[in-house]
Amino acid sequence: MHEPTRTRTTEPARYGDPVLYPTAIRQPAMPLAELPPGVEIVTLPGGYRTLAYTQPAAPAVAPVGQPIPAWAKTTALLAPTVGGGIAAAGFGISYAAPGLIAMTNALWAAITLIAAGALAPLLLRAGRATGGRGGAPVQHVTQHITASGMFGRASGTLNNR
């Protein structure tokens, strides 16, 4: 036997159904020229476009340029100069390093030579005072020589002390 077909009572509603999806009523469009002052068409966050009262935009004020202070100009001009000088000094020191090391060694040698020259007489005197030559007393000899005339005979005396 044939069973009657059942129809679903909860069928999805179609677009345009007056109960679930009413159709939008189209309002007549107003020309933009007829909008009163302070009213504009705005788009809301949901995407709807509507008329709204708006605040008048403040007149744009052109920014007034202020003169640059002299110290700022001077600093701006000196910054690359000082930086370039420091860079040049760094390169110069890196190229001069071997010569500076050699010069340092030469200066130390010169200081040693000066110190040895200044200390040598002091060390020699200290060695004599303690009897550095076997403890013999030091002899002083003075000699006086006199001569008369151009071809005269010279005579002299020796004094040992």
Side-chain angles (χ1 to χ4, degrees):
M1 293 248 278
H2 183 61
E3 216 174 287
T5 59
R6 294 188 184 175
T7 59
R8 294 173 64 188
T9 57
T10 59
E11 289 183 12
R14 293 175 299 171
Y15 186 76
D17 188 351
V19 176
L20 294 177
Y21 299 104
T23 56
I25 299 173
R26 301 282 264 158
Q27 298 290 335
M30 178 182 246
L32 293 178
E34 294 182 9
L35 291 177
V39 176
E40 291 184 18
I41 297 177
V42 295
T43 304
L44 298 176
Y48 295 108
R49 294 182 62 180
T50 184
L51 295 175
Y53 289 104
T54 57
Q55 295 291 330
V61 178
V64 178
Q66 296 184 0
I68 298 173
W71 64 267
K73 290 180 185 177
T74 305
T75 304
L77 291 173
L78 281 178
T81 306
V82 171
I86 291 172
F91 281 120
I93 289 173
S94 70
Y95 284 121
L100 290 175
I101 292 171
M103 194 177 347
T104 303
N105 292 336
L107 286 174
W108 278 115
I111 290 171
T112 306
L113 184 64
I114 292 170
L119 293 177
L122 297 174
L123 293 175
L124 289 175
R125 283 187 199 147
R128 281 188 204 154
T130 60
R133 291 187 230 152
V138 178
Q139 285 189 340
H140 292 284
V141 177
T142 37
Q143 185 175 14
H144 296 286
I145 300 173
T146 56
S148 60
M150 186 157 186
F151 296 104
R153 192 168 181 183
S155 64
T157 59
L158 291 173
N159 296 324
N160 291 326
R161 292 186 197 175

